[in-house]
Amino acid sequence: MKRTMSAVSAVSVLALLLAGCSGAGGDGGGSGDGDTITIGASIPLTGSLAGFGPLIQDGYQDAVDQVNAAGGIEIDGTAHQVELVVQDNKSDSTTAGDQARSLILENGAVALLGSVSPPLNIPMSNVAEVEQVPFVTSLTPTRAWRAGNESGWTYAWDMFFDEETMTDLQFTTSDLVATNKKVALFTDNEEDGITMGALWEAKAPTFGYEIVSHSEFPVGTSDFSSFINDAKAAGAEVVIAQMTPPDAFALWKQMKALQFDPQVAFCEKCAATAAFQKELGETAEGTTSTNFYETSEHPDAVRLTEKFGAQLGQNVDLSTLIISQSAAQVLLDAIAAAGSTDGSAINEAIGATDKEYAVGDISFSDENVADITPVSSQWQGDQMVQVNPQGANSGTLEAPVAGLK
């Protein structure tokens, strides 16, 4: 059964394409009097995605601090310090696009770093294209991001997993325990929800699963009771959700209240920061989500773990910080390689990236994407434990979902 709640209309980014002035980052003016090179970032420090914002900011700032401590970036024989200007987009797509433009035109940013998720990063990518200013992001599923520009991105770059690979994991992970292979989907109307929902629908039969309920709804939905009752009536033992954290908090609480206790439950994007466990407490126990970082011996990974591990506790938050630090390092390396603040020169250097970073090996495809390998991790206590694929540091998938019992 497929139930759909009326969707709110998507925020148009056409205005971003029409309103921009070209070439703001292309003349090198952003480095000012030669003392500072400015890069900008619009991230969600408040709003529905606020769980990601401080982690992204810490990762970006760490990369900048490392470069500055090493003497800065040399251009034409002169060493320049780097300044990171951060603005809070409040988890709003229109604000993200507006701030991307202001960071270039008002703050003199020669390049931009991204936010999280397609709804925030597509508007920023559009600004980067119009202004011809390089933009590097992560934490954004690549297929939905690429769909934001049918002609293909030139100045925007994304390093994250492809949904085509990621949407296999929910089925292969569910195979690790006994279920009736009946699946209930809960997906919102943002780009990643639409893309992943369609992929799960298409892939389920291939893996021997049946979608018995697919609930679709706009962001901000707070009452999921009818959807939950549909899933219960259909006998679903596997739940797969793609939604924002606040909406997921409501869904998980209502599933428990309505005594819907599946064998396996995935919360994609929604359970990807420690905010999920902090908000839900014991109700979060046993929920599974996609992660993208395994323990690494890369010097930056070791250093970041030592610097932030005790503070963050939950390794899922450390993963977000590490991939953000790597994205910033890719951009800073490209500026250094270009030896210029010219947008096209930096952009060419980003495209030539082929190096190991804290998050792993990074090189970009012709579609401006660097693929990160996804893994499935489960909330067990206050940590996320990798359960699929199995490896040296992995654990066992626990079923049924203890927090929903």
Side-chain angles (χ1 to χ4, degrees), residues 18-36:
L18 297 177
C21 301
S22 63
D27 61 3
S31 60
D33 60 5
D35 293 333
T36 304

Side-chain angles (χ1 to χ4, degrees), residues 10-345:
V11 176
S12 170
V13 296
L14 181 59
L16 297 176
L17 294 170
L18 297 177
C21 301
S22 63
D27 61 3
S31 60
D33 60 5
D35 293 333
T36 304
I37 296 171
T38 300
I39 60 175
S42 169
I43 58 178
L45 296 172
T46 56
S48 62
L49 297 174
F52 292 93
L55 304 169
I56 297 171
Q57 182 172 9
D58 283 346
Y60 289 169
Q61 190 63 57
D62 178 87
V64 170
D65 290 346
Q66 290 296 305
V67 166
N68 287 338
I73 294 176
E74 185 173 309
I75 296 176
D76 295 330
T78 299
H80 299 256
Q81 293 286 288
V82 179
E83 178 189 17
L84 172 67
V85 178
V86 172
Q87 296 183 359
D88 175 18
N89 59 39
K90 303 178 182 178
S91 305
D92 179 74
S93 58
T94 300
T95 302
D98 290 344
Q99 288 181 345
R101 180 175 292 106
S102 71
L103 285 165
I104 297 167
L105 300 181
E106 298 176 18
N107 295 95
V110 302
L112 299 174
L113 290 165
S115 189
V116 56
S117 82
L120 297 181
N121 278 323
I122 289 174
M124 297 179 70
S125 298
N126 280 323
V127 170
E129 296 294 295
V130 171
E131 302 297 341
Q132 299 182 13
V133 169
F135 170 80
V136 178
T137 194
S138 62
L139 299 170
T140 299
T142 61
R143 192 166 295 252
W145 174 75
R146 293 198 331 262
N149 185 344
E150 293 182 358
S151 300
W153 301 107
T154 300
Y155 280 84
W157 307 81
D158 184 16
M159 37 188 285
F160 206 50
F161 55 69
D162 187 323
E163 299 95 318
E164 183 65 41
T165 302
M166 175 266 192
T167 51
D168 289 350
L169 278 173
Q170 293 72 30
F171 300 115
T172 60
T173 301
S174 296
D175 283 342
L176 298 175
V177 297
T179 73
N180 63 6
K181 295 187 179 293
K182 293 184 177 181
V183 180
L185 295 180
F186 295 83
T187 58
D188 66 25
N189 66 337
E190 292 192 326
E191 289 91 337
D192 39 3
I194 294 168
T195 299
M196 292 184 192
L199 285 168
W200 284 318
E201 287 249 25
K203 289 184 174 192
T206 303
F207 287 94
Y209 287 79
E210 178 188 4
I211 306 297
V212 295
S213 173
H214 186 176
S215 302
E216 299 173 278
F217 43 85
V219 173
T221 296
S222 58
D223 183 359
F224 295 94
S225 56
S226 62
F227 296 151
I228 295 168
N229 287 330
D230 285 345
K232 284 183 64 178
E237 290 187 353
V238 178
V239 166
I240 305 175
Q242 166 67 35
M243 55 205 302
T244 63
D247 296 357
F249 300 158
L251 173 60
W252 252 243
K253 291 174 182 177
Q254 289 167 36
M255 284 197 293
K256 183 161 187 172
L258 293 170
Q259 299 182 323
F260 179 35
D261 52 348
Q263 292 294 304
V264 192
F266 301 86
C267 197
E268 302 301 350
K269 182 166 70 176
C270 33
T273 73
F276 185 80
Q277 196 270 342
K278 290 175 181 175
E279 171 68 24
L280 293 178
E282 292 181 355
T283 303
E285 183 71 13
T287 296
T288 304
S289 185
T290 300
N291 203 349
F292 42 83
Y293 170 73
E294 299 181 72
T295 303
S296 168
E297 295 304 316
H298 186 280
D300 273 341
V302 172
R303 180 181 58 78
L304 290 166
T305 300
E306 293 174 350
K307 180 177 179 180
F308 292 101
Q311 167 193 335
L312 295 176
Q314 290 89 346
N315 53 18
V316 63
D317 279 359
L318 184 62
S319 299
T320 297
L321 188 150
I322 284 176
I323 197 172
S324 299
Q325 193 272 354
S326 296
Q329 194 62 61
V330 166
L331 176 59
L332 294 168
D333 283 351
I335 297 173
S340 170
T341 56
D342 175 74
S344 61

